[in-house]
Amino acid sequence: MELRHLRYFMVVAEELHFGKAALRLNMTQPPLSQQIKQLESEIGVTLLKRSKRAVRLTAAGGVFLKQIKEGLSQIDQAVDMAQRTARGELGRLVIGFVGSATYEIMPPIIREYRNRFPSVQIDLRELSTPNQIDALLNGHIDIGVLHPPLGNDELKSYTVKKSHCVLALPKHHPLTEKARVHLKDLEEESLIVIAKEAWPSLYTEFNFLCEKAGFIPNIAQEATEYQMVIGLVSAGMGIAVVPTAAKRLFNLDVVYKEIEDFPLRAEWITAHRKDNRNPALKHFIEISDQHS
């Protein structure tokens, strides 16, 4: 028994006329009549009562029609869902992200992705960069928004945003009154920094620039995300160098100032396994690229 036989029967049952059914099916009447007889022979039941004047459904034919309509509808739905899934329009996408990506990076990307692909279930997980790398390699997330470097050949990455960095100060700190601030002015200050394991490139580059300026930074406290860094600055625990996105953490007790000739850049990337075959991933990468 083939699906086309069921569809042939359904059309004949709807029309109750072989000639009209044949026209709908774009075929001639004799082959259609033969296919219906073959179907009846296969299932061992008379489905249609034929006479010279009319075609009627038998009781068995009525029951069979009801059931195959439901079955064919489910099959059509299954085909549609399979095709939409293959196109990345249906399914599930698990996205990891660092907390610092929640202000300027994630909102526009997620908003556009949901608008374009509303039937894809999005699972968001806030994870540190090391934990995202592990989750990517273990297949627990499809894509991550994190900080470089990755240090793994199984992962493919794209830069999604670069931002210069500014100095965050308690509002009554003496440096807030200075017209121009240079990196050397931080030499005697207690510094709050994002921990190396959380943002290795930023940590390493900042230390390098300080040493290049002639001093070793006095790191008083480390934090895993700059939300915590700003909180500690607000509490008077020290000063910090943070990405400009930190300004979105509106805090009346913190003042932000530019550092003269300061090349430090914060970078966010997206990363995924090279062998990830989730069709929904492709569209997310395309949208991320558009917003980079």
Side-chain angles (χ1 to χ4, degrees):
M1 185 186 304
E2 299 180 20
L3 283 178
R4 62 190 177 92
H5 293 152
L6 301 180
R7 296 191 189 279
Y8 292 165
F9 168 73
M10 188 170 69
V11 173
V12 173
E14 289 172 351
E15 295 291 343
L16 293 178
H17 192 286
F18 277 91
K20 293 178 180 179
L23 284 174
R24 276 181 59 183
L25 293 167
N26 196 27
M27 61 190 301
T28 57
Q29 183 174 333
L32 176 59
S33 180
Q34 185 179 358
Q35 295 288 348
I36 298 301
K37 288 180 179 178
Q38 183 180 341
L39 175 63
E40 290 175 319
S41 176
E42 284 188 28
I43 63 176
V45 172
T46 300
L47 300 172
L48 296 168
K49 188 72 173 176
R50 304 161 180 85
S51 69
K52 292 183 178 180
R53 293 185 176 182
V55 176
R56 292 185 295 105
L57 280 169
T58 64
V63 172
F64 189 66
L65 175 63
K66 181 177 182 296
Q67 295 300 316
I68 67 166
K69 276 187 173 181
E70 294 176 359
L72 289 173
S73 176
Q74 290 180 348
I75 290 171
D76 289 340
Q77 184 179 1
V79 171
D80 177 65
M81 291 178 67
Q83 291 173 340
R84 292 176 64 197
T85 300
R87 293 193 300 264
E89 299 171 2
L90 193 68
R92 179 170 178 259
L93 188 67
V94 185
I95 305 167
F97 65 96
V98 290
S100 58
T102 57
Y103 295 93
E104 295 183 332
I105 299 173
M106 295 292 287
I109 295 174
I110 297 297
R111 187 182 308 116
E112 181 175 346
Y113 188 84
R114 284 178 58 83
N115 286 340
R116 290 176 55 184
F117 305 101
S119 297
V120 176
Q121 178 189 345
I122 297 175
D123 184 350
L124 296 172
R125 302 180 185 180
E126 184 175 357
L127 299 167
S128 67
T129 291
N131 286 341
Q132 283 194 60
I133 293 173
D134 288 342
L136 285 167
L137 294 174
N138 293 331
H140 295 154
I141 62 175
D142 292 300
I143 190 166
V145 182
L146 62 166
H147 306 303
L150 296 177
N152 193 293
D153 293 336
E154 295 181 50
L155 303 178
K156 187 172 184 178
S157 66
Y158 311 82
T159 296
V160 68
K161 184 176 179 63
K162 285 186 177 181
S163 170
H164 77 281
C165 295
V166 295
L167 184 62
L169 302 156
K171 65 179 180 181
H172 298 303
H173 193 281
L175 286 177
T176 61
E177 303 298 326
K178 196 168 182 178
R180 293 191 174 187
V181 176
H182 296 83
L183 184 57
K184 188 70 173 175
D185 295 325
L186 279 56
E187 183 173 5
E188 302 300 327
E189 300 289 340
S190 295
L191 295 169
I192 303 166
V193 300
I194 297 173
K196 184 176 182 179
E197 60 268 20
W199 204 331
S201 59
L202 196 68
Y203 183 96
T204 302
E205 183 65 14
F206 175 68
N207 278 269
F208 171 77
L209 291 172
C210 289
E211 292 176 14
K212 188 176 179 181
F215 70 98
I216 296 176
N218 175 28
I219 297 175
Q221 186 74 41
E222 294 187 2
T224 55
E225 283 292 348
Y226 65 70
Q227 295 95 320
M228 187 183 302
V229 171
I230 296 302
L232 294 173
V233 171
S234 175
M237 295 288 292
I239 66 175
V241 173
V242 294
T244 53
K247 293 181 179 181
R248 290 180 175 268
L249 297 169
F250 185 70
N251 192 314
L252 294 174
D253 295 317
V254 177
V255 174
Y256 298 94
K257 290 187 71 72
E258 299 287 337
I259 302 174
E260 297 290 318
D261 302 319
F262 189 51
L264 185 63
R265 295 290 181 271
E267 183 178 1
W268 291 262
I269 61 174
T270 58
H272 62 89
R273 283 186 64 106
K274 294 178 180 177
D275 59 358
N276 188 308
R277 296 293 180 262
N278 186 344
L281 177 61
K282 176 185 176 182
H283 300 305
F284 187 85
I285 293 171
E286 290 173 350
I287 292 172
S288 298
D289 287 346
Q290 292 169 7
H291 286 271
S292 62

